[in-house]
Amino acid sequence: MSSPKGSQAQKTRLPSFTRKVPLEVPSPTEKDWSKDDEEDYVFKDPDEELDSLPQPYRMINKLVNLLFDRSWEVIEERDALRKSELSRIRPTVYPPVVESKLNKMPNCMAISQDYVFIGGARGFSIHSLFNAKQIYVWEKLKVDVTSICATDLGSEILIAPVDEIGTVLHLPF
């Protein structure tokens, strides 16, 4: 029967290394040494070798690893989304200065220069942007204004109100 110390010595393995090519005696100066000497050694640690698991445990191991990989992908996606939300520039929001009450529900609006053009049932109105007061009201139309286009022409503004059948209205001023 062998002693326990002897069996312990036999079980302990030291890391081994093997040489791919036979050793050569290096020259006396480091400049002559080849750079590939470090790549010639292969270190193997027998304790780091993975044992093969039996079949049911290998399948469970694969499923657990797959679950961790997918969970990590979800975590990375959420982190990237949160970082993009934080880095996004938020627009400046200005509170209203003056509240303007309208007597009818507007159908459309257009802005040009310092004026707001509001189209509604049987006409349209012009409001100033500076003080939100109504400057002009045109309610002699026999149709509803559904769209207004306003264009700045320098010192004048071209207003083109469109009715519900798509006809541009000609307004005498």
Side-chain angles (χ1 to χ4, degrees), residues 2-9:
S2 64
S3 68
K5 288 185 181 179
S7 64
Q8 241 347 13

Side-chain angles (χ1 to χ4, degrees), residues 92-96:
T92 305
V93 177
Y94 296 104

Side-chain angles (χ1 to χ4, degrees), residues 90-134:
R90 297 210 178 5
T92 305
V93 177
Y94 296 104
V97 179
V98 177
E99 184 176 336
S100 179
K101 297 281 185 181
L102 300 174
N103 55 359
K104 297 177 189 173
M105 182 68 174
N107 291 340
C108 56
M109 292 175 57
I111 297 176
S112 183
Q113 287 185 357
D114 302 329
Y115 304 103
V116 176
F117 304 95
I118 301 175
R122 307 286 179 223
F124 72 95
S125 60
I126 302 172
H127 296 262
S128 173
L129 285 176
F130 292 118
N131 54 15
K133 291 190 179 184
Q134 191 173 30

Side-chain angles (χ1 to χ4, degrees), residues 23-78:
L23 287 173
E24 296 178 7
V25 178
S27 61
T29 62
E30 284 188 33
K31 293 178 186 175
D32 297 335
W33 293 356
S34 67
K35 302 291 182 194
D36 298 331
D37 279 347
E38 295 173 1
E39 295 174 7
D40 291 343
Y41 292 101
V42 177
F43 293 101
K44 294 182 182 177
D45 189 1
D47 293 334
E48 290 182 0
E49 290 181 13
L50 296 175
D51 294 331
S52 178
L53 295 172
Q55 177 50 39
Y57 298 109
R58 280 190 304 218
M59 183 178 68
I60 292 170
N61 188 28
K62 285 182 181 179
L63 289 174
V64 168
N65 286 336
L66 179 67
L67 179 68
F68 281 133
D69 290 341
R70 288 185 178 171
S71 302
W72 188 251
E73 289 173 2
V74 169
I75 290 170
E76 286 178 338
E77 287 175 9
R78 287 181 182 173

